[in-house]
Amino acid sequence: MTFHQHTLPNGLTILGETNPAALSVAVAFWVKTGARDETPEVAGVSHFLEHMVFKGTPRRDAFTVNRDFSRIGADNNAWTSEENTVFHAVVLPEFLPEVVDVLADILRPSLRGDDFDTEKKVILDEIVRYEVQPGWAVSEHARKHFYAGHPLGNSVLGSTASITALARDQMAEYFKRRYVAPNIVAVAAGNFDWPKFVSLVEKAAGGWPTGVAPRTQRIEPPGAGGVHVVTKPPDKVAQQYVMLIAPAAPADHELGYAGAIVSTVVGDYTGSRLFWALTDPGLADEAGMGVDECDGAGAYYTSFNCDPERASKCYGIVRELLDDVQKNGITDDELQQAKTKVMSREVRAGERTQRRMLTVVKDWVYRDEYRSVDDELAAWDAVTMKQIREVLDRYPLTNQTVTAYGPLERIG
Amino acid sequence: MTFHQHTLPNGLTILGETNPAALSVAVAFWVKTGARDETPEVAGVSHFLEHMVFKGTPRRDAFTVNRDFSRIGADNNAWTSEENTVFHAVVLPEFLPEVVDVLADILRPSLRGDDFDTEKKVILDEIVRYEVQPGWAVSEHARKHFYAGHPLGNSVLGSTASITALARDQMAEYFKRRYVAPNIVAVAAGNFDWPKFVSLVEKAAGGWPTGVAPRTQRIEPPGAGGVHVVTKPPDKVAQQYVMLIAPAAPADHELGYAGAIVSTVVGDYTGSRLFWALTDPGLADEAGMGVDECDGAGAYYTSFNCDPERASKCYGIVRELLDDVQKNGITDDELQQAKTKVMSREVRAGERTQRRMLTVVKDWVYRDEYRSVDDELAAWDAVTMKQIREVLDRYPLTNQTVTAYGPLERIG
């Protein structure tokens, strides 16, 4: 695998990892904008705009966009997060020209008024559908409590009120400001010709306007702390959901690998301390811990859901477990097992062009660097017990903001 | 990629596809037994037994099983269907000996009485959890109506009554009868040494008892026909779910590829006729068609769910669409697009050792043959309009058994 990088005169970055042994090529246009870049008046516009991108351009209506992906057998999709809006597709190598053509074309959407009105209903329906999913709802509440006004706590979907009030011209203004060339990365990974990819992207996107799309409020949120209870009637939410959030290392932090090891030992979906304490004995239906590495901030998410009658017991076990790891760290055996686990996942992910593509672009966007699969493996392998201690001291597992969502009126 | 095959003296089949370029190796023990091989008294025993396999052996308790997968970073899981029970794992190449050792060991479970009693509660909970999922419930009802007593209509989970009544010794008897060596295939795909794999499997499984585990009632079900309505109160099931099932080509049928093309054109999740007729205009929340190729039988599944007020309209559109394809077939353009789509998916699946492993073993179990990725591509590419007509004539899209599940008291 070979890495390549090029910047167009308008500031658009092009990245590539060529692998002649791959059977496919994965391509994306990665826009560095998301919910954290929204003002309250346009909450949800990034995600709504992601939908509108598929509704057509001066060259293609919505039907043609879908057909042109379909006819090349593309496995395509898009997603919006707090920090990024990403449009991606995997195709056979011979369809590289077509997939770049469609992806680049839709990134200059018409944003037609009647499409906007129709899609607004779809978004409003989506909000209603999500709101009744307690796993999603607890996370929305928990993030709001933890971030306490920091823009990383913004909701990706927005609210019924903000979406209802949103006007087409506000979206057009946001698009113009945030979808400038220097804020976009075009990336490919797999079996493709690098000079050809560069010339395809240059032809399709070389004329996009340049500009500056800075990200404001890059301060590290301290975590608001406290215990927040959102009570729901038992006929609406039968299970009790609990989520704990604590500050963790940002995406470009040198202790990120150590932090991810801690999270694997404590809360991987299988074989972790939480698995043995809550899931395996059947105390909780689900329990786990993960780490979210963002731009200038990071967070450990620890969560479980269970029968309300067992919630206080489970909560006590979780806090005790976190306190114990904070105080006594992890064992040599746990460190070794977690390394094997994450390294094995890294290697397996490396077999898929889509996963490599996403890794390459994330490393570049968040760390300004390229890392091969071997670089990643070496970094995991290099994690020491000393670093585990350091990351625990710098980002303690005791500094939790707790949110409970479900029938209970209090927890713990 | 090179194919290998060997049969042990006790009748256990070993398959392998070696690919020195792969970064991992996927391994499975595939047991040719499932819900269709159960008598009503032990309904659900295959799936319950799959759970028990992870509860320990004379050499390992449940904790050790999980730990021994975890410490080698295995991505392991298991599933039970109407016809198969499969235990699989993906690991880095250096862990081949360990993963064969654990997988083979757990395939000789202790089935301890106290584990059986504990796990029974887990299974009963699982049944309750599934029953409230309307997408699952409509499929269970629809299959019962379509198969009308044919064992392929058996429920994989069993019922609360059958699981409650099941005794540990009945499971042990089923295990002894169905988990004999000639009914099991050990398979690996990816980066591994074939002679070494054979010797590892021989060492671990060469002593397993032989025997005959025939499958009875291999007649092709005609489809019962009719419209069946299961009415649920709107506060329990808000959306209307509709599923249509029609007989399709069995797994070893020469028209299978043509049938899968028909199903892609009519009901692929994107860009298909159903997508444009129901999903894109927002008439249905989900709509699609798939084909299930079984041992001696096959079935097209067409389904949608929507607001109850729109259900009759959607149902009318679906029937009209199916009638039209039955009468007029598909267009040359549709055939070409569907080929590109399925061939592209085939190639991308070929990049993952786990997918290749499952394809290799399925081709062997269902068709007694090995097919390389290139063989599969050639077979898709060879589908003609004449074969499309033949498969429609042999398995008409008009021969539907319809099941509605939701608030409505009638449909259509």
Side-chain angles (χ1 to χ4, degrees):
Chain A
M1 302 191 197
T2 312
F3 176 70
H4 316 266
Q5 190 266 330
H6 180 72
T7 307
L8 294 181
N10 64 359
L12 188 135
T13 297
I14 311 179
L15 305 177
E17 186 187 68
T18 48
N19 175 10
L23 302 171
S24 66
V25 55
V27 182
F29 281 78
W30 178 290
V31 191
K32 292 181 272 182
T33 199
R36 77 177 285 178
D37 304 301
E38 300 168 352
T39 55
E41 302 79 52
V42 297
V45 68
S46 309
H47 170 255
F48 189 170
L49 174 55
E50 173 222 309
H51 279 234
M52 287 302 294
V53 159
F54 290 91
K55 294 300 154 202
T57 71
R59 281 170 59 202
R60 286 180 174 92
D61 62 11
F63 176 86
T64 315
V65 170
N66 188 298
R67 188 204 62 194
D68 287 355
F69 279 123
S70 256
R71 64 163 33 151
I72 57 172
D75 180 15
N76 69 288
N77 217 329
W79 47 268
T80 306
S81 69
E82 288 78 14
E83 304 196 322
N84 302 292
T85 312
V86 181
F87 304 87
H88 57 91
V90 186
V91 294
L92 299 191
E94 62 260 40
F95 296 121
L96 182 72
E98 288 88 347
V99 80
V100 171
D101 180 60
V102 191
L103 280 173
D105 186 34
I106 63 175
L107 265 278
R108 299 291 116 179
S110 296
L111 307 179
R112 282 178 283 259
D114 49 346
D115 291 335
F116 181 88
D117 296 340
T118 310
E119 199 60 22
K120 185 181 270 195
K121 294 196 195 81
V122 174
I123 304 281
L124 290 169
D125 279 356
E126 194 173 341
I127 293 175
V128 172
R129 268 209 313 281
Y130 270 94
E131 274 172 351
V132 297
Q133 296 175 24
W136 182 85
V138 68
S139 160
E140 284 279 290
H141 285 281
R143 296 179 56 262
K144 271 197 178 54
H145 290 135
F146 172 76
Y147 282 112
H150 187 286
L152 267 172
N154 291 354
S155 165
V156 171
L157 291 182
S159 66
T160 301
S162 71
I163 294 297
T164 303
L166 193 72
R168 186 260 168 207
D169 289 350
Q170 289 175 292
M171 180 182 283
E173 190 279 326
Y174 176 87
F175 171 80
K176 198 176 163 190
R177 195 158 47 77
R178 301 295 304 174
Y179 277 55
V180 290
N183 211 34
I184 300 177
V185 180
V187 57
N191 191 342
F192 71 103
D193 180 65
W194 167 251
K196 190 172 174 192
F197 180 58
V198 170
S199 95
L200 288 166
V201 174
E202 179 148 37
K203 187 176 156 226
W208 293 357
T210 190
V212 190
R215 173 162 287 158
T216 53
Q217 285 194 261
R218 288 187 68 257
I219 42 162
E220 204 169 345
V227 177
H228 310 266
V229 179
V230 182
T231 306
K232 292 277 162 184
D235 63 324
K236 294 288 177 198
V237 181
Q239 293 283 92
Q240 185 65 39
Y241 290 74
V242 178
M243 180 172 274
L244 302 85
I245 311 185
D252 60 352
H253 199 290
E254 54 177 6
L255 288 172
Y257 289 95
I261 292 279
V262 167
S263 153
T264 304
V265 169
V266 173
D268 194 49
Y269 73 93
T270 183
S272 65
R273 291 210 191 179
L274 278 172
F275 174 83
W276 291 113
L278 294 187
T279 320
D280 183 69
L283 286 173
D285 291 344
E286 296 174 303
M289 177 176 179
V291 60
D292 185 26
E293 298 184 326
C294 302
D295 179 10
Y300 292 116
Y301 288 76
T302 308
S303 61
F304 64 90
N305 55 284
C306 64
D307 192 306
E309 290 189 7
R310 290 197 285 258
S312 281
K313 181 176 179 181
C314 287
Y315 178 64
I317 291 173
V318 170
R319 292 306 299 240
E320 222 171 276
L321 197 158
L322 293 170
D323 289 351
D324 177 58
V325 174
Q326 185 59 38
K327 192 174 157 204
N328 303 311
I330 63 175
T331 67
D332 288 327
D333 251 20
E334 285 177 323
L335 174 62
Q336 198 44 55
Q337 280 191 39
K339 279 187 184 181
T340 305
K341 211 183 244 187
V342 293
M343 289 167 73
S344 169
R345 286 174 189 165
E346 192 84 48
V347 171
R348 282 183 272 124
E351 287 182 336
R352 302 177 60 186
T353 55
Q354 166 145 325
R355 292 289 293 277
R356 275 311 296 165
M357 179 271 285
L358 292 173
T359 302
V360 166
V361 63
K362 277 178 81 172
D363 281 341
W364 192 265
V365 166
Y366 283 99
R367 298 173 179 136
D368 270 324
E369 66 177 12
Y370 167 71
R371 293 193 202 173
S372 66
V373 173
D374 285 342
D375 293 339
E376 299 274 2
L377 296 182
W380 288 115
D381 207 30
V383 173
T384 61
M385 275 297 195
K386 186 161 162 283
Q387 291 171 325
I388 298 288
R389 188 68 263 165
E390 277 171 19
V391 78
L392 287 169
D393 289 345
R394 173 70 188 79
Y395 297 102
L397 299 180
T398 43
N399 181 17
Q400 302 283 357
T401 304
V402 183
T403 303
Y405 183 91
L408 295 185
E409 293 184 7
R410 54 189 299 275
I411 183 95
Chain B
M1 301 189 198
T2 312
F3 176 69
H4 316 265
Q5 190 265 328
H6 180 72
T7 308
L8 294 181
N10 64 359
L12 187 135
T13 297
I14 311 177
L15 305 177
E17 187 188 67
T18 47
N19 175 10
L23 302 172
S24 66
V25 55
V27 181
F29 280 78
W30 178 290
V31 191
K32 293 180 271 181
T33 199
R36 77 178 285 178
D37 304 301
E38 299 168 352
T39 55
E41 302 79 53
V42 296
V45 69
S46 309
H47 169 255
F48 189 170
L49 174 54
E50 174 221 310
H51 279 233
M52 287 301 295
V53 159
F54 291 90
K55 294 300 154 200
T57 71
R59 279 172 58 204
R60 285 179 173 91
D61 61 12
F63 176 86
T64 315
V65 170
N66 189 298
R67 188 204 61 194
D68 286 355
F69 278 122
S70 256
R71 65 163 34 151
I72 57 172
D75 180 15
N76 69 288
N77 216 329
W79 47 268
T80 306
S81 70
E82 288 78 13
E83 303 197 322
N84 303 293
T85 311
V86 181
F87 304 87
H88 58 91
V90 187
V91 293
L92 299 190
E94 63 260 41
F95 296 121
L96 182 73
E98 287 88 346
V99 80
V100 171
D101 180 61
V102 190
L103 280 172
D105 186 34
I106 63 175
L107 264 279
R108 299 292 117 181
S110 295
L111 307 179
R112 280 178 283 259
D114 48 347
D115 292 333
F116 181 88
D117 297 338
T118 310
E119 200 59 23
K120 185 182 271 196
K121 294 195 194 84
V122 173
I123 304 281
L124 290 169
D125 280 356
E126 193 173 341
I127 293 175
V128 172
R129 269 207 313 279
Y130 270 94
E131 274 171 353
V132 297
Q133 296 175 23
W136 183 85
V138 68
S139 160
E140 284 279 290
H141 285 281
R143 296 179 59 259
K144 273 199 176 52
H145 290 134
F146 172 77
Y147 282 111
H150 187 287
L152 267 172
N154 291 354
S155 165
V156 171
L157 291 183
S159 65
T160 301
S162 71
I163 295 296
T164 304
L166 193 72
R168 185 260 167 207
D169 288 351
Q170 290 174 293
M171 179 182 283
E173 190 279 325
Y174 176 87
F175 171 80
K176 196 176 165 191
R177 197 159 45 78
R178 302 294 304 174
Y179 277 54
V180 289
N183 211 34
I184 299 178
V185 181
V187 57
N191 191 341
F192 70 102
D193 180 66
W194 167 251
K196 189 172 175 193
F197 180 58
V198 170
S199 94
L200 288 166
V201 174
E202 180 149 34
K203 187 176 156 226
W208 293 358
T210 191
V212 189
R215 173 162 287 159
T216 53
Q217 284 193 260
R218 288 188 66 258
I219 42 162
E220 205 169 343
V227 176
H228 309 265
V229 178
V230 183
T231 306
K232 292 278 162 182
D235 62 323
K236 293 288 176 198
V237 182
Q239 294 283 91
Q240 184 64 39
Y241 289 76
V242 179
M243 180 171 275
L244 302 87
I245 311 185
D252 60 352
H253 200 289
E254 53 177 8
L255 288 172
Y257 289 94
I261 292 279
V262 167
S263 153
T264 304
V265 169
V266 174
D268 194 49
Y269 73 95
T270 183
S272 65
R273 292 210 189 179
L274 279 173
F275 174 82
W276 291 113
L278 294 187
T279 319
D280 183 69
L283 286 173
D285 291 343
E286 297 174 302
M289 177 176 180
V291 59
D292 185 27
E293 299 185 324
C294 303
D295 180 10
Y300 292 117
Y301 287 76
T302 307
S303 61
F304 65 90
N305 55 284
C306 64
D307 191 306
E309 289 188 7
R310 290 197 285 261
S312 280
K313 181 176 182 183
C314 287
Y315 179 64
I317 292 173
V318 169
R319 293 306 297 241
E320 224 172 273
L321 196 160
L322 294 170
D323 288 353
D324 177 59
V325 173
Q326 184 59 38
K327 195 175 157 203
N328 303 311
I330 63 176
T331 68
D332 288 328
D333 251 22
E334 286 178 322
L335 174 61
Q336 198 45 55
Q337 279 190 38
K339 279 187 183 180
T340 305
K341 210 183 246 185
V342 293
M343 288 165 73
S344 169
R345 287 176 189 164
E346 192 84 48
V347 170
R348 281 182 272 124
E351 287 182 334
R352 302 176 60 186
T353 55
Q354 167 145 321
R355 292 290 292 275
R356 276 309 297 164
M357 179 271 285
L358 292 173
T359 303
V360 166
V361 63
K362 275 178 84 171
D363 282 341
W364 193 264
V365 166
Y366 283 98
R367 298 173 178 134
D368 270 323
E369 66 179 11
Y370 167 72
R371 292 192 204 174
S372 65
V373 173
D374 285 342
D375 293 339
E376 299 274 0
L377 295 181
W380 288 115
D381 206 31
V383 173
T384 62
M385 275 299 197
K386 186 161 164 285
Q387 291 172 326
I388 298 288
R389 188 68 264 165
E390 279 171 17
V391 79
L392 287 169
D393 290 345
R394 174 69 187 83
Y395 297 102
L397 299 181
T398 44
N399 181 18
Q400 301 284 359
T401 303
V402 182
T403 303
Y405 183 91
L408 296 184
E409 292 184 8
R410 54 188 299 274
I411 183 99

